[in-house]
């Protein structure tokens, strides 16, 4: 083997080893940060919002709560784990692993890992609390790529919290939410947190399940900027976790300039734990 080729192979192997170590260190740093935030999130003893009774809720919402949590299992927080794919562009997809912590109040913590290939990993941490939201994205868990915050992003995250009430049935009873019945299958929900409000539309079926959530209050990150766009979450199936029925397979889509909806995430709920 020519000496030059040997040097090229040696350098390539060194870069691969260094990159693997870099990825490992980045993931370790990211996971440590996520665990620290999770502990603070769960241990925070902020008083819960007042809960409505079933009689005060629209039939579609009351039926969904009865369907989802028939045993009325109480909890301080729910921890959810998802696995699936994320497609930032048509024809391009990455493996996605996500961890979400939700409470029966307008609070949320998301940790997301995207594997572009075996060596390149993107991470994101999203938080929402007290009308403020922030998302930090990194390469390998340690190299900052972008940061999103501000009122428009906070409203978008508040709408996401409300949509994910499907995984968090006690939130749907919060007095911070106003409901407006559109027809038998559609209910508009508006959540208020301080001076911030956000709305979603729940679509129900004849079995008491919510099968779709849509909102015009969400923004999507585009080239490190935020762009307002219609958003939809479809529930493709349900599954029981510790006696509580939750969405099991989900598809999320953004509206395009052409007026169509493009799916960007498809994932499955693999684990749910109540604290």
């Amino acid at each position: 083997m020519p000496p030059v080729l040997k040097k090229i192979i040696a350098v390539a192997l060194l870069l691969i080893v260094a990159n693997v170590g870099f990825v490992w260190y980045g993931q370790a740093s990211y996971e440590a940060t996520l665990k620290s935030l999770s502990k603070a999130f769960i241990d925070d003893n902020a008083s819960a919002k007042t809960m409505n009774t079933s009689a005060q809720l629209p039939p579609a919402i009351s039926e969904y709560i009865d369907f989802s949590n028939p045993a009325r299992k109480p909890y301080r927080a729910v921890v959810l784990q998802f696995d699936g794919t994320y497609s930032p562009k048509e024809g391009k997809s990455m493996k996605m692993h996500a961890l979400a912590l939700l409470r029966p109040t307008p609070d949320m913590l998301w940790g997301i890992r995207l594997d572009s290939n075996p060596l390149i990993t993107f991470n994101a941490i999203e938080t929402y609390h007290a009308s403020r939201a922030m998302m930090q994205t990194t390469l390998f868990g340690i190299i900052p790529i972008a940061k999103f915050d501000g009122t428009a992003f906070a409203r978008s995250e508040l709408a996401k919290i409300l949509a994910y009430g499907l995984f968090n049935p006690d939130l749907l009873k919060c007095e911070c939410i106003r409901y407006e019945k559109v027809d038998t299958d559609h209910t508009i929900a508006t959540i208020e947190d301080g001076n911030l409000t956000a709305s979603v539309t729940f679509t129900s079926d004849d079995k008491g399940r919510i099968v779709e959530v849509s909102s015009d209050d969400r923004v999507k990150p585009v080239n490190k900027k935020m762009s307002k766009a219609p958003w939809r979450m479809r529930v493709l199936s349900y599954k029981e976790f510790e006696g509580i029925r939750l969405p099991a397979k989900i598809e999320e889509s953004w509206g395009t300039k052409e007026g169509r909806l493009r799916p960007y995430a498809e994932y499955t709920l693999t684990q749910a734990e109540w604290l």
Side-chain angles (χ1 to χ4, degrees), residues 8 43 58 91 93 108 152 164 207 216 219 223 237 240-241 246:
I8 291 174
D43 290 346
S93 65
M108 176 180 70
Y164 275 80
K207 296 180 181 178
D216 290 326
V219 294
N223 297 326
S237 66
E240 192 170 296
F241 294 83
L246 299 178

Side-chain angles (χ1 to χ4, degrees), residues 84-102:
T85 58
Y86 174 78
S87 304
K89 299 178 181 179
E90 289 192 78
K92 180 181 180 181
S93 65
M94 295 181 276
K95 290 183 180 179
M96 181 181 77
H97 176 76
L99 178 70
L101 286 90
L102 307 172

Side-chain angles (χ1 to χ4, degrees), residues 34-48:
L34 185 60
K35 287 180 180 178
S36 177
L37 286 172
S38 299
K39 186 178 187 305
F41 182 89
I42 294 171
D43 290 346
D44 182 1
N45 291 319
S47 58

Side-chain angles (χ1 to χ4, degrees), residues 154-174:
R155 179 174 290 108
S156 178
E157 295 295 272
L158 186 57
K160 182 176 180 178
I161 288 173
L162 182 51
Y164 275 80
L166 300 192
F167 300 93
N168 186 16
D170 274 3
L171 175 68
L172 299 178
K173 297 186 289 182
C174 182

Side-chain angles (χ1 to χ4, degrees), residues 16-28:
I16 290 172
V17 171
N19 198 21
V20 169
F22 191 44
V23 171
W24 177 86
Y25 173 77
Q27 279 304 124

Side-chain angles (χ1 to χ4, degrees), residues 40-82:
F41 182 89
I42 294 171
D43 290 346
D44 182 1
N45 291 319
S47 58
K49 304 285 185 179
T50 304
M51 297 296 169
N52 285 309
T53 64
S54 295
Q56 296 170 305
L57 298 170
I61 302 302
S62 180
E63 288 174 9
Y64 178 76
I65 294 172
D66 290 340
F67 164 80
S68 179
N69 189 8
R72 298 292 193 275
K73 182 175 181 175
Y75 58 90
R76 291 184 301 135
V78 56
V79 185
L80 308 168
Q81 182 173 296
F82 303 99

Side-chain angles (χ1 to χ4, degrees), residues 114-167:
L114 301 173
D115 297 326
S116 180
N117 59 52
L119 294 179
I120 298 179
T121 300
F122 299 93
N123 298 99
I125 292 178
E126 298 178 47
T127 59
Y128 180 96
H129 178 69
S131 303
R132 294 187 177 182
M134 185 274 292
M135 180 171 71
Q136 177 75 58
T137 60
T138 58
L139 177 63
F140 303 128
I142 54 176
I143 301 176
I145 298 175
K147 180 179 178 180
F148 301 94
D149 53 18
T151 303
F153 183 69
R155 179 174 290 108
S156 178
E157 295 295 272
L158 186 57
K160 182 176 180 178
I161 288 173
L162 182 51
Y164 275 80
L166 300 192
F167 300 93

